[in-house]
Amino acid sequence: MIHLYYWPTPNGWKVSIALEELGLPYTLKAVNIGRGEQFTPEFTRLSPNQRMPAIVDQAPADGGAPLSLFESGAILIYLAEKSGRLLPADLRGRHAVLPWLMWQMGGLGPMLGQHGHFRLYAAEKIPYAIERYERETRRLYDVLDAQLAQGEYVAGDYSIADIAIFPWIITHKAQGLTLDDWPHVKRWFAQVRERPAVQRGTALGKEMRKSAMDDEARRHLFGAAGTVAQETRQ
Ligand SMILES: N[C@@H](CCC(=O)N[C@@H](CS)C(=O)NCC(=O)O)C(=O)O
């Protein structure tokens, strides 16, 4: 059994989708990031970066003590290796997938995260920041579109690279983008969205997400600066 520390956001969906795809049994442990549960001492022991997702595998393959992991990319590799699926074992297949996983972790996720923040959530709308991250977001979509022009999935067969990237593409409307600008991404997105495991993974905990971005959530997620700016605006 795997304990999944989770809140329904793109980084959380990567792991819920992978668990559903792999059919691994798991128990949901909600981490309400809008209420600061990522900062508790118990959760910090599992995820020193105080971000979800995290997992604890109660039955790791070596038969040893429960194994805990943070960082969604590392978790995806672990789950793929545990089940021998979604990450090819051969040298070339494996190292076709891993660069795209790292591209998502180091580029697509952080840049879209910043774009979304400055566009939607920042109390002060700073044109320079919005334009800078929108330019980078569009460049990354161009890169993904060029890659998907060459094959059905991101790197060979459907893999943890697709699973890492897909949840961030879900956010395209909130990012003010239309997939019509990237036809190969649009085709791939529609295809991946049809997968039953993807639908189950992204539906996990949907009801928990009802609470809006209120002042308390802003304080936990954006810190004192966000709160001060918000209060000044009122
Ligand atoms: N690189 C990390 C990023 C995780 C991350 O940023 N999670 C966000 C939600 S999508 C979070 O926990 N935010 C809480 C906060 O900002 O305090 C990963 O991929 O696991």
Side-chain angles (χ1 to χ4, degrees):
M1 178 64 70
I2 289 173
H3 291 176
L4 167 62
Y5 292 80
Y6 167 93
W7 196 248
T9 73
N11 289 316
W13 291 328
K14 293 180 209 169
V15 180
S16 56
I17 290 171
L19 287 165
E20 290 291 340
E21 289 283 7
L22 295 167
L24 292 168
Y26 64 93
T27 305
L28 175 61
K29 307 272 184 186
V31 182
N32 187 339
I33 58 175
R35 293 296 170 263
E37 292 175 8
Q38 67 274 39
F39 304 118
T40 65
E42 299 74 35
F43 185 67
T44 305
R45 272 194 286 280
L46 303 178
S47 180
N49 195 37
Q50 299 184 312
R51 299 282 185 273
M52 70 87 223
I55 62 164
V56 181
D57 185 354
Q58 305 294 321
D62 63 2
L67 189 152
S68 75
L69 271 175
F70 66 107
E71 283 294 326
S72 57
I75 296 170
L76 290 179
I77 294 172
Y78 178 81
L79 296 176
E81 287 180 344
K82 182 178 173 71
S83 49
R85 288 173 50 207
L86 298 175
L87 176 63
D90 68 288
L91 182 84
R92 282 164 205 277
R94 179 177 174 85
H95 292 284
V97 168
L98 291 179
W100 286 101
L101 179 65
M102 300 303 155
W103 176 83
Q104 187 288 310
M105 293 296 295
L108 190 76
M111 292 303 129
L112 269 59
Q114 293 303 316
H115 181 236
H117 175 78
F118 284 109
R119 188 173 183 276
L120 296 173
Y121 298 128
E124 199 188 334
K125 296 287 177 270
I126 308 164
Y128 177 84
I130 296 171
E131 284 158 24
R132 172 176 162 74
Y133 286 113
E134 182 178 341
R135 215 171 19 253
E136 181 60 1
T137 294
R138 290 187 167 276
R139 189 191 70 79
L140 290 162
Y141 265 81
D142 289 345
V143 170
L144 181 60
D145 203 59
Q147 179 67 5
L148 286 167
Q150 297 173 49
E152 190 176 5
Y153 295 108
V154 171
D157 293 338
Y158 180 71
S159 72
I160 53 173
D162 300 278
I163 292 175
I165 293 167
F166 176 82
W168 280 98
I169 306 301
I170 294 178
T171 70
H172 67 272
K173 282 194 191 131
Q175 306 260 352
L177 305 172
T178 166
L179 294 187
D180 292 339
D181 292 349
W182 297 281
H184 302 289
V185 175
K186 186 175 180 177
R187 184 267 307 152
W188 166 87
F189 181 74
Q191 193 172 337
V192 174
R193 193 178 45 191
E194 287 307 305
R195 297 179 70 90
V198 169
Q199 291 177 11
R200 290 195 301 275
T202 51
L204 182 71
K206 218 173 190 167
E207 68 289 348
M208 305 188 309
R209 220 186 169 188
K210 274 193 210 116
S211 54
M213 183 65 79
D214 57 17
D215 280 351
E216 187 183 348
R218 282 178 172 276
R219 222 173 17 254
H220 290 303
L221 295 169
F222 310 142
T227 315
V228 171
Q230 171 75 355
E231 281 160 4
T232 311
R233 207 166 57 107
Q234 285 169 347

